[in-house]
Amino acid sequence: MQTVQDFAKTKNISKAIVDTWIYRHGLPVIQIGRRVYIELSDYEAWKSEHKKIVAERPQKSLKMAIPKQCRKSGIAAKMQKIY
């Protein structure tokens, strides 16, 4: 059992990230008075439940409506390269 500060140091992350995991993402903790403790076994179980595989999706080509004034100049070609 570790305090939030010790846990953040061992995982090499900030305390703010651990607080976000606790309050927004439901990382289980033990609270005794004002002190908050994290069990490593609870963290490992929580981490395995929150794993996600993100697959790369091919990007769709976007067609933009370009005003007629821009079509004659090189602006349109530059805009198409950017977007």
Side-chain angles (χ1 to χ4, degrees):
M1 192 161 57
Q2 294 180 326
T3 63
V4 173
Q5 292 85 2
D6 293 338
F7 179 79
K9 285 180 186 176
T10 58
K11 298 297 179 186
N12 200 22
I13 54 176
S14 70
K15 183 185 175 299
I17 290 174
V18 177
D19 288 339
T20 300
W21 289 351
I22 294 168
Y23 297 108
R24 290 191 182 172
H25 301 288
L27 176 63
V29 296
I30 299 168
Q31 187 171 3
I32 302 172
R34 292 183 181 181
R35 294 186 179 163
V36 178
Y37 299 96
I38 298 173
E39 286 275 346
L40 291 178
S41 59
D42 289 342
Y43 167 71
E44 294 298 329
W46 175 83
K47 184 175 75 169
S48 66
E49 291 173 6
H50 285 80
K51 280 189 180 178
K52 249 189 238 189
I53 297 174
V54 180
E56 258 187 66
R57 295 183 185 169
Q59 288 185 347
K60 295 180 181 178
S61 61
L62 299 174
K63 295 288 183 177
M64 297 184 342
I66 300 172
K68 289 183 181 181
Q69 298 95 358
C70 295
R71 289 182 193 164
K72 294 178 184 175
S73 65
I75 295 173
K78 290 177 185 174
M79 288 178 66
Q80 297 235 343
K81 286 181 185 177
I82 294 172
Y83 299 104

